[in-house]
Amino acid sequence: MIVAEAVGRALAACGVETAFGVVGSGNFHVTNALVAGGVRYVAARHEGGAATMADAYARMSGRVGVVSVHQGPGLTNALTGLTEAAKSRTPLVVLAGEATEVRSNFHIDQAALATAVGAVAMRVSAPEEAVSRAAEAYRVALGERRAVLLNLPLDVQSAPFEGTVDVPAAPPAGPPALEVEELARLLGAAERPVFIAGRGARHARRELEELAGRVGALLATSAVAKGLFRGSPWDLDVSGGFATPPAAELIRGADLVVAWGCALNMWTTRHGTLITPGAKVVKVDLDPAAFTAHVPADLGVTGDVARVAEAVAARVASRQGYRSPEVAARVRAEGRWRDVPYEDESGGGRIDPRTLSIGLDDLLPRERIVAVDSGNFMGYPSMFIDVPDEGGFCFTQAFQSIGLGLATAIGAALARPDRLPVAALGDGGALMGIAELETVVRLGLPMVVVVYDDEAYGAEVHHFGPHGHPLGTVTFPPADLAAIARGHGFAAVTVGGPGDLAGVADWVAGPRDRPLLVHAKVTAEHGSWWLEEAFKGH
């Protein structure tokens, strides 16, 4: 056995189930060793897609994602996906061959590259380290929710490995340091508490709902945790730029905001405007650095969200809090964007993106998993296409890169094969990630890919256009995206008005033996209001 094989088998022994990548000479043996260890390997068409697939898979499965790439350009191609994962604190291990000879065409400082984007850089420097370093990379990824680059120098990974692939069990985690009594006191004194749950709370619905019921808290989420409280009569859905007007008003009225595994960034708080001056802020997080980020916390509680919520629930008395019949009636009547009246602007061969999104929400099966790319369009599927629970929405937006949406949907689909995968893309992002259409077909995924096509980089059009700037660099002639999709093996339908959605209904009713691309020609007269909010952060 060589070192590369030992690393792959060690990761399989740690519990890795699925890995993504593009194979070259520098990662050939480690990838085959993963497969030999029982790991499913998914080949992407670009390393950027592979990294994003692994990121999405980790988010939606709760497992560590693994990416295998070639030395040098294999890693640089994966860099945007790695950056997104690092910023999102996704548990991810990137296996990369490494050319340490400075005269090699493939040589770059891979450790510095990883560190620069917020990942943890590790290296197997000697054969005897193979198993221990692989196990360490896995534990850091899982236990600290970090993206880890494990460099595999070419000379080391080809050396003989003399040991055994026995991965020692990780020591059990000690109990977190809880500031439970103070949080219980604050909840006992609050008249209008609101819980905002983030990605770090996606495993803790039961515990949070039980505590919220005791203290009368309303429930909201960040965008990445959309759907967590779906079905609760106290669910305000997403806080921040995607919040409905009544949800924003109710959150703004809170006298205590408890952020559970949520950093309360500018998107979740509308640049801080949803936190009223005088309101107390508590953050519960595994990472104490979150307590001073964005909106500083009056109290920080270090620990796992579910365990903290359980401990606090045992120390508080029942009270009404924010939960009145009037609030319940308002949430029931106005709690979803489709309940907010709007003027349908469809016409002239183009469909209003709100009408499109509501139509898709009505037509597509409820058991779905929705992945949304970045761009001017992104609020429409995020706000108007509902999801059944926290396992129904995958939002890779920490780096705000367009072009990740299709790969995100593939990774999410493989994590949740019981759900219909739906990829919502803009035309710019769709064309940027288009190579992975072949991956969708090759894997046999019954995916619906919706392209909101305004024939432009819409965010730039609506940011610079009102000031009279020329827009020739950000607008494009029409592209027949339906024909491109058919060339990859998709079924496709072009939607220029509400009546064209019948083609989507036909696909849903049919055998679904091919994925479907919906080329939606959307109205583009003005930008979305949430985008105007976003530009305040630029």
Side-chain angles (χ1 to χ4, degrees):
M1 183 186 303
I2 61 173
V3 167
E5 293 168 332
V7 169
R9 289 180 178 270
L11 286 169
C14 286
V16 172
E17 291 189 351
T18 302
F20 302 81
V22 177
V23 171
S25 60
N27 64 323
F28 182 85
H29 293 299
V30 71
T31 306
N32 280 340
L34 287 167
V35 174
V39 175
R40 180 186 185 185
Y41 173 68
V42 179
R45 285 302 188 177
H46 190 279
E47 290 91 350
T52 301
M53 290 174 200
D55 180 358
Y57 174 86
R59 294 174 191 238
M60 307 315 291
S61 69
R63 310 189 69 86
V64 172
V66 172
V67 189
S68 177
V69 298
H70 188 62
Q71 64 270 19
L75 180 61
T76 58
N77 279 348
L79 200 59
T80 299
L82 176 58
T83 306
E84 170 64 35
K87 285 180 172 289
S88 297
R89 298 298 291 265
T90 298
L92 185 74
V93 175
V94 180
L95 301 170
E98 183 181 27
T100 54
E101 169 53 55
V102 295
R103 287 182 291 273
S104 168
N105 288 349
F106 294 126
H107 174 73
I108 55 173
D109 190 340
Q110 295 189 173
L113 202 64
T115 302
V117 301
V120 177
M122 296 183 181
R123 175 179 287 113
V124 177
S125 299
E128 59 270 19
E129 295 179 0
V131 172
S132 61
R133 293 298 271 175
E136 182 186 6
Y138 181 89
R139 289 177 190 146
V140 169
L142 182 64
E144 299 180 23
R145 298 204 312 264
R146 299 296 300 272
V148 178
L149 169 65
L150 184 58
N151 282 312
L152 304 174
L154 300 182
D155 56 341
V156 175
Q157 64 167 291
S158 62
F161 176 75
E162 304 295 345
T164 60
V165 185
D166 294 323
V167 179
L178 305 178
E179 292 78 2
V180 168
E181 295 295 342
E182 179 61 10
L183 176 51
R185 186 191 71 77
L186 290 171
L187 286 169
E191 296 182 357
R192 298 178 305 281
V194 169
F195 288 0
I196 303 179
R199 185 175 164 199
R202 291 177 67 245
H203 65 294
R205 173 172 180 161
R206 178 184 62 80
E207 293 84 356
L208 290 177
E209 285 193 328
E210 181 177 340
L211 176 59
R214 285 178 178 266
V215 300
L218 303 184
L219 298 165
T221 72
S222 66
V224 294
K226 177 181 172 69
L228 179 60
F229 302 117
R230 187 65 74 247
S232 167
W234 307 105
D235 177 22
L236 301 179
D237 202 33
V238 176
S239 173
F242 296 158
T244 61
E249 182 181 328
L250 289 166
I251 294 167
R252 196 175 282 119
D255 60 355
L256 173 65
V257 174
V258 185
W260 300 91
C262 175
L264 294 181
N265 64 25
M266 63 181 181
W267 313 114
T268 306
T269 65
R270 290 192 187 174
H271 301 273
T273 62
L274 294 187
I275 309 296
T276 303
K280 294 288 186 181
V281 175
V282 177
K283 292 184 179 181
V284 180
D285 205 286
L286 288 171
D287 182 7
F291 303 156
T292 55
H294 309 295
V295 178
D298 297 291
L299 172 67
V301 183
T302 304
D304 173 76
V305 165
R307 295 176 67 184
V308 172
E310 280 187 330
V312 174
R315 291 167 168 79
V316 294
S318 296
R319 52 189 288 119
Q320 177 177 312
Y322 216 160
R323 297 187 173 190
S324 68
E326 294 77 18
V327 169
R330 188 172 186 195
V331 173
R332 185 169 56 251
E334 308 173 63
R336 297 291 176 267
W337 270 105
R338 63 183 300 149
D339 301 324
V340 178
Y342 71 95
E343 183 178 347
D344 190 342
E345 298 177 353
S346 302
R350 293 195 169 271
I351 187 169
D352 189 307
R354 295 165 293 187
T355 303
L356 168 69
S357 302
I358 292 171
L360 292 170
D361 186 48
D362 290 339
L363 288 171
L364 298 177
R366 305 308 298 173
E367 288 299 308
R368 61 184 70 144
I369 185 163
V370 179
V372 180
D373 206 342
S374 193
N376 175 60
F377 80 96
M378 62 188 278
Y380 300 113
S382 300
M383 293 188 288
F384 290 95
I385 299 181
D386 205 3
V387 294
D389 53 33
E390 73 280 3
F393 194 67
C394 195
F395 198 64
T396 46
Q397 300 288 342
F399 196 33
Q400 287 186 266
S401 171
I402 70 169
L404 305 186
L406 182 56
T408 296
I410 295 170
L414 293 172
R416 294 298 305 265
D418 56 319
R419 300 246 169 126
L420 176 73
V422 180
L425 319 175
D427 53 305
L431 288 164
M432 193 175 288
I434 205 162
E436 303 305 346
L437 288 177
E438 187 276 336
T439 305
V440 175
V441 174
R442 172 166 36 89
L443 295 177
L445 299 176
M447 184 180 292
V448 176
V449 177
V450 185
V451 183
Y452 291 69
D453 183 10
D454 60 1
E455 298 169 8
Y457 294 136
E460 284 66 36
V461 167
H462 299 296
H463 187 39
F464 296 106
H467 302 290
H469 296 291
L471 300 174
T473 57
V474 292
T475 55
F476 300 89
D480 192 343
L481 298 176
I484 293 172
R486 291 188 191 103
H488 282 83
F490 273 65
V493 58
T494 299
V495 175
D500 297 329
L501 288 170
V504 178
D506 291 341
W507 182 88
V508 171
R512 305 185 204 171
D513 53 351
R514 291 189 293 163
L516 174 70
L517 184 133
V518 180
H519 180 196
K521 295 178 175 292
V522 297
T523 55
E525 284 72 26
H526 53 77
S528 52
W529 70 265
W530 64 266
L531 186 67
E532 296 174 0
E533 288 282 336
F535 281 141
K536 294 178 182 178
H538 280 228

